[in-house]
């Protein structure tokens, strides 16, 4: 459900939750930004341990901004990753194979018609202020999302099919559906404490960043926050699954990725993931450094180009200033036919990626889709030129493509200033599209969210972190995800509204048979590919690094070969063992002692249906983060 990057965000998810809209986020102390370099004014956490009672601090360098600390609004990957640490979900994903495991709910069952789901809420969990966690907290969270449009901003797609949610007892949660919903063991929604959040007046404005510590029930408690500087969390010693090994977890923001790498070299941070991955040059350099381990595995993210198809609200009100030529399918096809994905993988990602095809990365093998040979949009500049001619955009005497109105065909593309891949690919696009007679302005901004939501762009570099269940990243392309008002934050990725896609979305959501549902998801990807509003260029590997003199071991997801940052869960930071902890597990990549408590008993019973409903995913050559 992490939007995973988007503006993309991926993210799950969008990247929002998936959509990692690459913004910014973290640091441990006050900072001075000079020439794009974040310089800490106070000692790094590990340097200050003695003065702070010997606390063990794990510091993570990131290059994204927290868009909101409210789980009802947050959509960037860093934000949703933090919420996974702060709040439990009803269920979680096993770090080993992405199968469903208990979390706030210990077991669940469905009625014969699949329209009523009953969850048993664990009795051994409490909020960080001492209050007991009950089913009423979950019922209130879901009902608020159902009743308040603002509260549904980030995760409303999960509850849009809910008919009624009740808590008949402190340990029983009952969800009644309008129609069957296949995501009932993959509801990626943080559950918040009713006794705290019921006091909020306006969910559209409340960012959950004023009163600390913030009450939660996850493995960590949010204790400090300074925008575009740092986020500090403290270990929840009473967490039901067991307390984290590190006392504190700090996400420190670096606007310049090279500065983050330099901080890792000097030991000022424990971990660096880039934005969201390290560049090949950074990774190769760090691999030769002492006390640093580089982790590379299939990512859960995709890297793509998104077209503004014409920003509009749910009721059809148009806004923004997207180029009208991009509403022509032939123009979109011409642009994407003039993109050499092989060159992008080889030269930009230097082989640390897989060439993009469908919307779901190959890491999620059950849902991975490839276009047929006839359907595939292969690199063919000559064909692209013919398509533009057919669309009425011929070259003038100066070699510029112009429309019937005589205006040149010039586009703008939104670029994340913190992502070197955006900038590098932007240069190639200027070259390839320039040869077609098309102008391109690469507009790199620290904040791409505002112009994106306002529809003030032509194209954009997009990316989402996909979750084990693909529903979220598919739902952001439905008509229901469009904003209610112009320029309003919403779940939509880039204003796509296609009736055929929506029809398939509804069918997959109601399909419980894994094979049949996977087929529908592939049909959705085929439709998304053919409409040409999205062009997946690559599936980048997760490339990250950490200091072995600060971190003894840490869990990847999947455990065999996966990522550390931006997981579908909290396993990495919760399982991380300090380098000087003799009681921790040996080696890296595995769960620390006691980490498997509560994970192994995870059979997902669907009583009345007689089937095991746990969506499994396999890691392959790549994933999208």
């Amino acid at each position: 459900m992490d939007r995973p990057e988007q503006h993309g965000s991926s993210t799950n998810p969008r990247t929002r939750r998936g959509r990692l809209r690459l913004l910014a986020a973290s640091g441990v102390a006050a900072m001075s930004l000079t020439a794009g370099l974040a310089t800490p004014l106070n000692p790094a956490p590990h340097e200050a341990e003695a003065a702070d009672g010997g606390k063990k601090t794990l510091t993570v360098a990131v290059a994204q901004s927290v868009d909101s600390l409210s789980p009802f609004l947050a959509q960037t990957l860093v934000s949703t990753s933090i919420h996974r640490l702060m709040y439990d979900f009803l269920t979680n994903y096993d770090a080993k194979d992405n199968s469903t495991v208990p979390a706030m709910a210990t077991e669940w069952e469905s009625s014969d018609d699949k329209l009523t789901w009953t969850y048993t809420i664990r009795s051994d969990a409490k909020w960080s202020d001492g209050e007991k966690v009950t089913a009423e907290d979950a019922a209130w969270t879901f009902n608020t999302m159902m009743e308040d449009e603002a509260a549904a901003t980030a995760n409303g797609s999960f509850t849009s099919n809910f008919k009624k949610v009740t808590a008949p007892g402190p340990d029983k949660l009952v969800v009644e559906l309008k129609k069957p919903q296949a995501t009932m063991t993959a509801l990626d929604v943080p559950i918040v404490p009713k006794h705290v959040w019921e006091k909020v007046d306006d969910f559209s404005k409340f960012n959950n960043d004023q009163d600390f510590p913030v009450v939660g029930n996850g493995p960590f408690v949010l204790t400090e926050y300074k925008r575009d500087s740092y986020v500090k969390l403290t270990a929840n010693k009473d967490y039901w699954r067991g307390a984290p090994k590190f006392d504190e977890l700090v996400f420190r923001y670096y606007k310049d990725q090279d500065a983050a790498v330099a901080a890792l070299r000097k030991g000022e941070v424990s971990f660096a993931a880039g934005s969201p991955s390290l560049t090949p040059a950074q990774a190769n350099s760090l691999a030769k450094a002492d006390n640093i381990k580089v982790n590379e595995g299939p990512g859960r993210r995709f890297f793509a180009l998104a077209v503004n198809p014409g920003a509009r609200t749910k009721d059809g009100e148009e806004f923004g200033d997207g180029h009208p030529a991009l509403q022509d399918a032939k123009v979109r096809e011409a642009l994407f036919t003039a993109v050499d994905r092989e060159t992008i993988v080889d030269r930009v990602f230097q082989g640390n990626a897989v060439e993009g095809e469908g919307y779901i990365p190959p890491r999620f093998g059950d849902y991975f889709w490839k276009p047929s040979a006839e359907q595939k949009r292969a690199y063919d500049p000559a064909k692209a030129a013919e398509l533009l001619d057919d669309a009425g955009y011929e070259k003038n005497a100066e070699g510029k493509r112009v429309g019937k109105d005589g205006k040149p065909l010039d586009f703008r593309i939104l670029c994340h200033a913190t992502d070197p891949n955006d900038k590098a690919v932007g240069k190639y696009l200027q070259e390839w599209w320039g040869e077609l007679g098309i102008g391109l302005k690469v507009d790199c901004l620290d904040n791409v969210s505002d112009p994106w939501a306002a529809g003030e762009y032509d194209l954009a570099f997009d990316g989402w972190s996909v979750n084990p269940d693909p529903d979220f990243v598919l739902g952001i392309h439905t008509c229901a995800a469009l904003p209610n008002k112009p320029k309003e934050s919403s779940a939509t990725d880039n204003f796509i509204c296609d009736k055929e896609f929506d029809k398939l979305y509804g069918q997959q959501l109601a399909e419980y048979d894994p094979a049949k549902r996977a087929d529908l998801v592939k049909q959705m990807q085929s439709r998304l590919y053919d409409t040409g509003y999205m062009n997946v260029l690559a599936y980048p590997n997760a490339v990250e690094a950490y200091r072995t003199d600060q971190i003894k071991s840490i869990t990847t997801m999947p455990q065999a070969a996966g990522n550390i940052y931006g997981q579908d869960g909290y396993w990495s930071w919760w399982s991380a063992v300090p380098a000087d902890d003799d009681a921790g597990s040996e080696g890296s990549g595995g769960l620390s002692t006691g980490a498997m408590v509560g994970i192994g008993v995870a059979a997902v019973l669907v009583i009345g249906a007689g089937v095991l409903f746990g969506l499994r995913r396999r890691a392959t050559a790549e994933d999208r983060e």
Side-chain angles (χ1 to χ4, degrees), residues 16 49 60 108 168 184 236 399 413 418 480 523 533 558 574 583 612 615:
R16 285 165 137 156
E49 284 182 5
V60 179
W108 43 91
M184 296 307 289
N236 181 356
I413 186 166
T418 56
Q523 290 181 49
Y533 295 118
W574 172 72
L612 186 67
L615 296 180

Side-chain angles (χ1 to χ4, degrees), residues 42-249:
N42 296 329
H46 68 281
E47 295 170 348
E49 284 182 5
D52 197 18
K55 290 183 178 179
K56 297 177 181 179
T57 301
L58 194 165
T59 306
V60 179
V62 296
Q64 306 171 324
S65 282
V66 170
D67 53 343
S68 176
L69 286 172
S70 164
F72 295 111
L73 302 177
Q75 297 181 340
T76 64
L77 179 60
V78 67
S79 304
T80 57
S81 296
I82 290 170
H83 287 142
R84 287 183 181 275
L85 300 169
M86 295 170 59
Y87 303 105
D88 256 343
F89 297 2
L90 286 181
T91 61
N92 210 328
Y93 301 105
D94 194 326
K96 186 176 182 179
D97 60 5
N98 288 331
S99 60
T100 304
V101 297
M104 184 175 171
T106 58
E107 57 184 4
W108 43 91
E109 61 182 22
S110 75
S111 59
D112 290 344
D113 61 6
K114 312 288 197 312
L115 294 178
T116 301
W117 285 75
T118 302
Y119 301 82
T120 299
I121 303 303
R122 66 175 54 257
S123 60
D124 57 347
K126 61 182 180 179
W127 298 104
S128 55
D129 62 359
E131 293 287 326
K132 184 176 176 58
V133 174
T134 70
E136 185 59 36
D137 295 305
W140 184 88
T141 299
F142 291 137
N143 280 314
T144 300
M145 293 169 60
M146 294 162 62
E147 298 165 0
D148 190 297
E149 290 182 355
T153 299
N155 303 309
S157 62
F158 289 110
T159 60
S160 60
N161 182 46
F162 286 12
K163 180 180 179 181
K164 184 180 181 181
V165 182
T166 57
D171 65 342
K172 292 296 179 184
L173 175 73
V174 179
V175 179
E176 297 178 38
L177 304 173
K178 301 172 186 175
K179 56 185 178 182
Q181 180 170 326
T183 61
M184 296 307 289
T185 59
L187 298 173
D188 292 324
V189 177
I191 305 300
V192 301
K194 175 185 176 182
H195 66 282
V196 174
W197 284 80
E198 64 184 352
K199 302 172 186 176
V200 175
D201 294 325
D202 188 344
F203 288 96
S204 69
K205 298 179 180 178
F206 182 70
N207 282 314
N208 199 26
D209 59 359
Q210 298 300 315
D211 297 321
F212 298 96
V214 175
V215 178
N217 65 337
F220 288 89
V221 177
L222 178 62
T223 53
E224 293 182 33
Y225 168 64
K226 183 174 181 181
R227 182 171 179 79
D228 291 347
S229 185
Y230 68 90
V231 180
K232 180 178 179 181
L233 302 104
T234 301
N236 181 356
K237 301 300 183 181
D238 297 321
Y239 187 54
W240 62 268
R241 202 188 290 277
K245 296 286 188 179
F246 277 92
D247 300 303
E248 294 179 339
L249 175 62

Side-chain angles (χ1 to χ4, degrees), residues 263-461:
L264 182 69
R265 285 181 176 280
K266 291 185 288 185
E268 293 175 357
V269 299
S270 316
F271 177 95
S275 58
S277 290
L278 299 175
T279 66
Q282 291 168 339
N284 292 337
S285 175
L286 289 172
K288 303 172 185 176
D290 293 335
N291 300 317
I292 291 179
K293 178 179 176 60
V294 174
N295 177 65
E296 180 172 359
R300 51 183 281 251
R301 180 172 201 74
F302 64 75
F303 179 83
L305 296 178
V307 169
N308 180 355
R312 57 205 182 283
T313 62
K314 289 179 181 177
D315 61 8
E317 181 180 354
E318 298 180 356
F319 61 95
D321 60 2
H323 201 298
L326 292 173
Q327 296 181 29
D328 188 327
K330 287 186 177 181
V331 173
R332 298 195 299 270
E333 184 179 0
L335 291 177
F336 295 158
T337 302
V339 175
D340 188 348
R341 295 175 183 79
E342 184 177 346
T343 291
I344 290 173
V345 169
D346 290 345
R347 298 185 183 177
V348 176
F349 292 100
Q350 296 184 28
N352 295 323
V354 172
E355 186 176 331
E357 294 179 297
Y359 191 69
I360 307 297
R363 165 166 160 176
F364 303 105
D366 294 345
Y367 296 123
F368 179 59
W369 170 87
K370 296 167 66 76
S372 65
E374 298 76 21
Q375 185 181 19
K376 186 172 182 178
R377 229 176 262 119
Y379 178 56
D380 190 340
K383 181 179 178 180
E386 291 178 7
L387 287 165
L388 290 171
D389 289 338
D390 292 343
Y393 293 93
E394 298 183 349
K395 285 187 176 181
N396 61 15
E398 289 76 38
K400 288 285 296 179
R401 293 280 173 179
V402 295
K404 295 179 180 179
D405 57 4
K407 294 182 179 179
L409 199 58
D410 292 323
F411 297 121
R412 305 157 296 167
I413 186 166
L414 275 178
C415 159
H416 301 89
T418 56
D419 194 336
N421 294 325
D422 283 13
K423 299 174 184 177
V425 175
K427 291 180 180 178
Y428 278 110
L429 295 180
Q430 287 177 322
E431 175 186 340
W432 294 329
W433 293 352
E435 292 173 354
L436 288 176
I438 296 174
L440 180 67
K441 177 184 179 183
V442 181
D443 196 6
C444 294
L445 305 173
D446 290 332
N447 174 13
V448 300
S449 293
D450 290 345
W452 200 306
E456 296 172 352
Y457 68 100
D458 300 325
L459 300 106
F461 288 105

Side-chain angles (χ1 to χ4, degrees), residues 248-263:
E248 294 179 339
L249 175 62
V250 175
F251 292 88
R252 177 188 290 179
Y253 168 62
Y254 287 86
K255 184 177 180 180
D256 184 282
Q257 189 165 307
D258 287 331
V261 171

